[in-house]
Amino acid sequence: MTSGNTRTDTGHRPDLDIVLHVDGVERRVPIDVRTTVLDALRDRLGITSPKKGCDLGQCGACTVLIDGRRTLSCLALAASHDGAEIVTAAGLGDGEMHPLQAQFIEDDAFQCGYCTPGQICSAVGMLDEFADGAPSHVTADLEQAPELDDDEIRERMSGNLCRCAAYPNIVSAIRTVATGDSRIGAGDSRIGAGDSRIGVGDSRLDTEETR
């Protein structure tokens, strides 16, 4: 659908208006046909949870869930996802912190925090893929259900890079959530919705420096 006289922030008249359902909210977005999902989220809608890293699909910082599957949003054209359901790390918890977010804090699975939203979205999607029986490159027996050991986690998360090299703790956090061994209680004061390190209002993840 054409968008009349609406102009994008680049000053060019957009080619399309599309609808994206982002973190449970329907948003109408004017775009041109070259706009990626990442740029639509960040530049058009001001949603800065997914980060722009390499912009080549190699670092994973931009990972979001699109229609339930983890996706590199810097490689996904927004025009191809009109009507899609998109979940960012900020929308995972449904009002409360997602277990993976809580466990990342518990296991200190990040330092600067720039890659963390993509790591968490990727881990959520990866665990769903594993639950569906999808094998990985290191799965030994394709005729048997895979076992989610550390090698499997590392391989399945290998598309998400961490500049701070928090990989051992990332693997630990994912393993703990996957096995149900987390000791975090719902009333734990360290993982309240306002946690300054990873909550929606995270001061480090939403500054101009990290955007």
Side-chain angles (χ1 to χ4, degrees):
M1 180 175 65
T2 58
S3 56
N5 293 322
T6 303
R7 292 179 180 270
T8 66
D9 53 9
T10 62
H12 298 109
R13 183 170 296 172
D15 299 310
L16 299 169
D17 276 354
I18 65 170
V19 172
L20 299 175
H21 302 270
V22 185
D23 295 335
V25 179
E26 181 178 307
R27 307 290 295 272
R28 186 170 296 276
V29 194
I31 62 167
D32 67 47
V33 294
R34 301 164 298 176
T35 303
T36 64
V37 170
L38 178 61
D39 287 340
L41 293 173
R42 293 179 59 85
D43 298 339
R44 303 288 189 263
L45 296 177
I47 298 171
T48 58
S49 176
K51 305 304 183 200
K52 178 171 285 195
C54 66
D55 215 22
L56 296 170
Q58 296 178 352
C59 73
C62 68
T63 305
V64 298
L65 301 174
I66 299 182
D67 293 331
R69 297 184 64 85
R70 55 178 174 165
T71 303
L72 297 169
S73 60
C74 76
L75 298 183
L77 287 174
S80 299
H81 292 85
D82 188 12
E85 295 281 347
I86 299 176
V87 178
T88 72
L92 283 172
D94 193 23
E96 298 182 358
M97 190 167 289
H98 187 277
L100 275 166
Q101 292 172 316
Q103 199 63 48
F104 264 58
I105 293 172
E106 179 71 10
D107 287 3
D108 202 20
F110 59 94
Q111 292 184 40
C112 77
Y114 195 86
C115 74
T116 306
Q119 296 277 359
I120 290 174
C121 282
S122 186
V124 170
M126 180 273 287
L127 291 176
D128 286 343
E129 294 165 8
F130 177 80
D132 289 339
S136 78
H137 182 68
V138 300
T139 302
D141 189 346
L142 299 182
E143 296 183 355
Q144 300 292 328
E147 178 182 349
L148 196 63
D149 56 19
D150 286 1
D151 286 342
E152 283 280 359
I153 294 174
R154 282 191 287 266
E155 172 61 26
R156 292 168 186 265
M157 292 294 295
S158 61
N160 290 81
L161 305 184
C162 175
R163 299 183 294 187
C164 304
Y167 298 115
N169 293 356
I170 291 171
V171 171
S172 172
I174 295 171
R175 183 198 326 113
T176 299
V177 171
T179 58
D181 290 338
S182 177
R183 293 173 293 175
I184 297 173
D188 193 326
S189 61
R190 293 172 297 171
I191 61 168
D195 189 287
S196 62
R197 294 188 294 171
I198 201 169
V200 174
D202 190 300
S203 59
R204 293 189 303 166
L205 301 188
D206 288 335
T207 62
E208 289 299 327
E209 180 181 354
T210 59
R211 288 183 184 182

